[in-house]
Amino acid sequence: MHPPPGRRRRLTAAAAAGAAAALLTAPAAGAATVASEPTGGPDRASFAVVDGSDSRSLPAAANAYDYDGDRLQDLYTVRKSDGALLFHAGNGDGTFAAAVAKGTGWGGFDVVMAGDLTGDGVPDLLGRDARTGTLFTYPGNGSGGLGARISAGTGWNALGAFTSGGDFDDDGDLDLYAVRRPGDVLRFYPGNGDGTFAAPWGVDLNQVPDQVWDEAAALGTIGSVTGEGGPDLLLYTSDGGLHLLRTESSTILDYEHSVSREPQDRQRFRQITSVGDQTSDGAADLVATDSRTGELVMFASDPVYGFTIEPVAGGAGEAGSYRLPATDLDRTYDYDLTGTADIMARRTGGTDMAFYPGTGTGFGPSAPLNIYFGWEDLIESAGDIDGDGYADLLARSTGTGELKVLPGIGSPGYLELQSPVVQVGTGWHRMSAIVSGHDHDGDGAIDIVAREASTGVLWLYPGDGDGTVGTRVKIGTGWNGMREITAAGDLDHDGHADVLAVRNSDECLYLYRGNGDGTLRSAVRVGCGWAGLDALTATGDFGNDGHGDLLARRTSDGGLFLYRGDGTGGFTAAVPVGTGWNAMDLIV
């Protein structure tokens, strides 16, 4: 039985201190501040708040994230190259001062600006250790730094989007909402006022569409939507939608209205997070990373349109080299935008790819959807290599060696005639292995790793963020002695993308940890006995436990097995997920 809801009241700035945060997951395109205008889109875009047939403004409380005591709202980020925690002091006009390093070793942590969880009047930081699933509160010290951390419990890798910073049950302590996986169910965690949280309660979601939770990518606290009571929630979905949820009480949410934007590329904005009143106009703002340009943009509250989108000027470095205090939902293998990893496979001698939707434990009960591709001799998962927010595929043409990007459209309908194909280059028939889907050099863009057949040299082709690549860089030699080369993502939660391969001489699986600059460390043996397995396929977090997983096919009978990642670069015992896969010549 749930405690009775607290009475509704107007949200004050003090009560909403730091009332905005976002979710977490694996690191990806991060943030900082940039001065130039975004390219490839409009200079200024507007969000219109839609409630039935009427457009109206989006009221929002001025949520405080003043970590250094100057009454201006600040920002934390994590630098991807070395895992440094960076503090960006707000200037009060929507820009930030140059970043100041506040600590190291944050590459394996998801961070959230959480408001004053400890009751000392200074906003705090939440950090989730992605390897262990432990949640920590880091008390702010009032000068932009952090004190000794407080453990807030374990098992938090099972959570997707979450937010803190609002006193939703009216008891004087800031609380936390979280989307629990699998099942995408919202839960409310009452704050204890000491940096920890009590056991969760269920939430009554009045008129909230089910698909909103299936596609939940980010959750933030923005203050009262109506100007009375609050605070309320802003939900960002994987299709680029913004949805406002009005809190009737800590356990009752009403679907207030959705927010839409033209043109139809709003899904390209990643790591959306609330950052308080950055523009000093009394209303809360949002920041996000543009996945195509890597720039930091601000969703500034606007009295007419709800939000307007403009680039953030000033600050340090390219935004793509940083992670915002927000979850960048991993869509590398999620082709249908349902929040779970999927796979595709081609039957030997055929031209159709069969789409198998993932469920978190296996594949959906319906028959696989066949998608016509034409004849290609290689098809590989590519993540969001063209920066439009959708998972893409790489395809190499038979004979010509032409490599191209088949852009995703947010559904398994990959048809070349429906989406413009991006030409990567020619001559790729000289490569005996081509893998992609991850950012290896820490610039926020997806790269390609390929082995040259004649020399055994491993090359990194740095992505430009639009599907094309720059000048290649040699990152390894002797790779003709390896098979099943796989771009596996960040398996050990150090913030850098890794590579897996099986060595022919001993049939053992080896992990090559990434350094974050495109290079790889020396091989570490993960396990042996892989002689009877092939078609190794990275799946990201297939099992929804916060760790990257791997699929492999047994050659003797075509059995397909899932190897769950353990968070350290290793895998647990194999779990069967299918039979008859010997009929396939491509599994991606």
Side-chain angles (χ1 to χ4, degrees):
M1 184 173 181
H2 300 146
R7 59 182 178 85
R8 299 287 288 170
R9 54 182 172 80
R10 176 176 291 275
L11 180 69
T12 65
L23 65 146
L24 320 173
T25 53
T33 49
V34 291
S36 58
E37 291 282 334
T39 58
D43 291 337
R44 179 184 176 94
S46 297
F47 274 86
V49 180
V50 181
D51 184 15
S53 60
D54 299 325
S55 293
R56 58 192 178 90
S57 64
L58 175 65
N63 298 326
Y65 284 115
D66 177 17
Y67 286 87
D68 58 3
D70 63 357
R71 299 195 177 186
L72 300 175
Q73 311 310 301
D74 308 313
L75 174 69
Y76 278 102
T77 66
V78 175
R79 188 161 56 204
K80 295 177 65 178
S81 62
D82 59 4
L85 182 70
L86 303 179
F87 176 71
H88 307 256
N91 293 324
D93 58 1
T95 67
F96 299 96
V100 177
K102 293 293 183 179
T104 59
W106 289 80
F109 278 74
D110 302 312
V111 299
V112 163
M113 298 192 305
D116 179 18
L117 296 174
T118 55
D120 62 358
V122 180
D124 309 315
L125 195 72
L126 281 173
R128 177 176 59 183
D129 187 331
R131 179 175 296 179
T132 65
T134 303
L135 186 69
F136 296 97
T137 295
Y138 292 82
N141 63 12
S143 60
L146 303 171
R149 68 186 186 184
I150 301 166
S151 176
T154 59
W156 289 84
N157 270 348
L159 297 177
F162 65 90
T163 182
S164 184
D167 180 13
F168 296 95
D169 57 3
D170 199 23
D171 66 352
D173 300 321
L174 300 190
D175 311 307
L176 183 147
Y177 274 107
V179 179
R180 177 167 289 278
R181 303 175 302 182
D184 300 312
V185 178
L186 191 68
R187 288 289 182 264
F188 173 74
Y189 294 78
N192 293 323
D194 59 0
T196 67
F197 302 94
W201 309 343
V203 180
D204 184 4
L205 303 173
N206 292 339
Q207 301 178 342
V208 180
D210 291 340
Q211 66 269 21
V212 166
W213 299 109
D214 293 338
E215 300 177 0
L219 194 63
T221 311
I222 62 168
S224 172
V225 172
T226 61
E228 297 180 358
D232 298 312
L233 298 179
L234 180 70
L235 177 69
Y236 179 65
T237 51
S238 56
D239 63 353
L242 286 169
H243 306 271
L244 296 170
L245 307 176
R246 182 166 57 89
T247 55
E248 289 293 332
S249 71
S250 58
T251 57
I252 302 176
L253 293 177
D254 286 328
Y255 191 68
E256 180 70 13
H257 47 245
S258 62
V259 182
S260 62
R261 186 181 73 87
E262 299 293 342
Q264 297 299 321
D265 63 352
R266 59 189 179 272
Q267 71 285 342
R268 67 191 274 182
F269 295 107
R270 284 293 181 258
Q271 293 192 299
I272 284 184
T273 182
S274 299
V275 287
D277 180 15
Q278 290 291 337
T279 54
S280 301
D281 61 358
D285 305 307
L286 312 172
V287 293
T289 302
D290 188 323
S291 62
R292 177 166 292 176
T293 66
E295 296 189 84
L296 186 70
V297 296
M298 182 164 293
F299 290 25
S301 299
D302 184 277
V304 176
Y305 295 105
F307 288 114
T308 59
I309 304 175
E310 298 187 28
V312 176
E318 290 293 331
S321 299
Y322 299 81
R323 287 192 288 116
L324 284 174
T327 299
D328 184 28
L329 190 65
D330 185 5
R331 295 293 185 185
T332 303
Y333 311 96
D334 182 12
Y335 301 103
D336 57 1
L337 297 183
T338 60
T340 55
D342 314 306
I343 67 170
M344 295 189 187
R346 184 179 66 189
R347 189 170 295 275
T348 302
T351 58
D352 289 354
M353 290 289 284
F355 172 75
Y356 295 84
T359 64
T361 56
F363 304 107
S366 59
L369 174 66
N370 289 329
I371 308 160
Y372 176 74
F373 274 85
W375 186 255
E376 315 286 348
D377 68 1
L378 179 143
I379 296 174
E380 176 64 40
S381 56
D384 182 19
I385 197 170
D386 63 0
D388 66 354
Y390 297 132
D392 309 313
L393 294 178
L394 286 175
R396 183 178 62 186
S397 299
T398 304
T400 66
E402 178 186 26
L403 190 68
K404 54 195 173 184
V405 175
L406 305 181
I409 59 175
S411 76
Y414 282 81
L415 300 177
E416 293 186 31
L417 296 179
Q418 291 185 359
S419 301
V421 174
V422 178
Q423 303 295 335
V424 179
T426 59
W428 287 79
H429 58 281
R430 293 190 290 268
M431 301 297 169
S432 55
I434 302 172
V435 293
S436 185
H438 303 282
D439 174 21
H440 293 269
D441 58 5
D443 65 353
I446 301 301
D447 308 312
I448 298 175
V449 175
R451 177 182 61 189
E452 192 169 22
S454 61
T455 64
V457 170
L458 195 68
W459 297 96
L460 174 75
Y461 292 80
D464 291 330
D466 59 1
T468 63
V469 295
T471 303
R472 68 183 186 179
V473 178
K474 183 189 293 187
I475 60 172
T477 59
W479 281 75
N480 274 342
M482 312 299 290
R483 66 176 180 88
E484 307 300 332
I485 299 172
T486 305
D490 183 14
L491 293 175
D492 58 357
H493 295 296
D494 66 351
H496 308 315
D498 307 317
V499 173
L500 290 170
V502 176
R503 184 172 293 165
N504 293 324
S505 61
D506 59 8
E507 294 295 347
C508 294
L509 182 67
Y510 288 86
L511 170 69
Y512 294 81
R513 290 186 167 93
N515 290 316
D517 59 0
T519 63
L520 301 173
R521 282 175 258 176
S522 300
V524 176
R525 189 169 64 188
V526 175
C528 294
W530 289 78
L533 297 165
D534 68 356
L536 269 65
T537 304
T539 63
D541 185 14
F542 188 88
N544 285 328
D545 62 357
H547 306 313
D549 304 320
L550 186 69
L551 287 173
R553 176 179 60 187
R554 189 164 57 196
T555 56
S556 61
D557 59 4
L560 193 67
F561 294 87
L562 174 66
Y563 292 81
R564 297 183 187 274
D566 63 7
T568 67
F571 299 92
T572 60
V575 177
V577 292
T579 59
W581 288 80
N582 270 348
M584 304 297 180
D585 67 354
L586 283 175
I587 303 175
V588 298

